[in-house]
């Protein structure tokens, strides 16, 4: 059986973002993963800043909330699940879990603390979004194949429309980026880019799914 015969049974419908129903969710753009001295730095985070800022500023201009997600872990746990698989990182109260200054996160915006890969897992993100009557999410950040992907999965499972601008995300490598975006586009949401998301937020244009290689 051809590798992609199963995934070929898909619908690529356009999405229209409604500022009254949408939110931008920024995943783990924190010092620990981006800045020199961090425990797990992803090289090249700088390439994400401009497209991310474009989406963030467009969202703010039309009243779409921006939600900042911080990976953060308490010291002294007997079994911290992420630390079983990854080097200790983002210790609560340290410099590590803080959002990088490049993105200009505001104190009056919503900040969510997570202790697992998904921003939904045992946090109040879903409750917060439901209280805001939001059911469309633009999700991006680092890394595509771990925390972004986990959050996208949970968003889909809980009934949200999901849009992922590919140039606002980075994975642990090119293979992981391509595979994760392909799977998201095929099974969980719409993959687009920052320019189209900005236009959709600003002008109300339909967001056409991008072509994503397998």
């Amino acid at each position: 059986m051809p590798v992609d015969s199963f995934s070929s049974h898909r619908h690529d419908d356009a999405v229209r973002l409604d500022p009254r129903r949408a939110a931008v969710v920024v995943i783990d753009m924190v010092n620990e993963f981006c800045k020199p001295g961090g425990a797990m730095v992803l090289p090249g985070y700088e390439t994400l800043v401009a497209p991310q800022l474009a989406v963030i500023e467009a969202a703010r201009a039309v009243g779409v909330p921006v939600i900042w997600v911080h990976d953060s872990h308490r010291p002294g746990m007997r079994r911290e699940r992420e630390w079983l698989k990854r080097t200790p990182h983002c210790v609560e109260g340290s410099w590590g879990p803080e959002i990088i200054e490049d993105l200009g996160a505001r104190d009056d915006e919503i900040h969510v603390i997570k202790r697992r890969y998904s921003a939904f897992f045992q946090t109040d993100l879903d409750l917060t979004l439901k209280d805001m009557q939001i059911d469309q999410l633009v999700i991006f950040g680092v890394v595509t194949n771990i925390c972004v992907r986990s959050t996208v999965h949970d968003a889909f499972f809980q009934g949200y429309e999901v849009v992922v601008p590919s140039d606002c995300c980075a994975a642990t490598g090119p293979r992981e980026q391509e595979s994760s975006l392909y799977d998201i586009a095929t099974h969980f949401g719409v993959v687009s880019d920052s320019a189209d998301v900005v236009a959709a937020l600003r002008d109300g244009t339909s967001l056409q799914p991008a072509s994503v290689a397998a």
Side-chain angles (χ1 to χ4, degrees):
M1 181 174 69
V3 172
D4 198 37
S5 63
F6 188 87
S7 295
S8 65
H9 298 277
R10 57 189 275 187
H11 300 289
D12 283 325
D13 298 327
V15 172
R16 188 178 294 276
L17 291 174
D18 182 346
R20 297 167 299 179
R21 299 169 48 211
V24 169
V25 181
V26 184
I27 305 293
D28 290 347
M29 291 299 296
V30 299
N31 292 325
E32 198 83 278
F33 301 148
C34 298
K35 294 294 185 177
M40 295 194 304
V41 175
L42 187 72
Y45 88 93
E46 299 91 344
T47 63
L48 304 178
V49 171
Q52 288 181 352
L53 278 174
V55 174
I56 290 164
E57 290 168 1
R60 287 171 174 161
V62 295
V64 168
V66 179
I67 299 174
W68 303 91
V69 178
H70 306 243
D71 195 49
S72 182
H73 303 278
R74 292 175 181 163
M77 299 293 100
R78 291 181 177 177
R79 189 182 66 168
E80 164 50 70
R81 292 297 304 176
E82 283 195 21
W83 292 359
L84 292 177
K85 296 294 290 182
R86 309 291 293 161
T87 191
H89 60 277
C90 291
V91 177
E92 183 180 61
S94 73
W95 163 88
E98 296 175 5
I99 302 296
I100 58 172
E101 292 184 357
D102 315 51
L103 294 178
R106 299 175 183 173
D107 291 339
D108 62 349
E109 292 173 320
I110 295 169
H111 293 254
V112 173
I113 303 299
K114 69 178 179 65
R115 293 174 59 194
R116 297 294 187 265
Y117 299 139
S118 171
F120 284 97
F121 185 76
Q122 296 193 8
T123 73
D124 71 347
L125 178 57
D126 182 57
L127 178 63
T128 298
L129 294 169
K130 295 250 184 337
D131 283 351
M132 298 171 76
Q133 297 186 311
I134 284 169
D135 60 8
Q136 295 181 316
L137 301 178
V138 178
I139 299 175
F140 57 78
V142 296
V143 296
T144 313
N145 53 311
I146 306 174
C147 295
V148 172
R149 182 170 181 157
S150 296
T151 301
V152 167
H153 288 185
D154 280 353
F156 173 82
F157 298 151
Q158 296 185 80
Y160 294 93
E161 283 188 300
V162 178
V163 174
V164 177
S166 60
D167 54 339
C168 294
C169 301
T172 53
R175 177 191 63 181
E176 290 77 12
Q177 178 81 346
E178 291 174 7
S179 175
S180 294
L181 291 175
Y182 179 79
D183 284 346
I184 289 169
T186 302
H187 305 291
F188 301 103
V190 170
V191 173
S192 185
D193 60 33
S194 60
D196 285 350
V197 171
V198 167
L201 289 169
R202 183 188 59 211
D203 304 325
T205 56
S206 293
L207 195 61
Q208 300 295 331
S211 176
V212 181

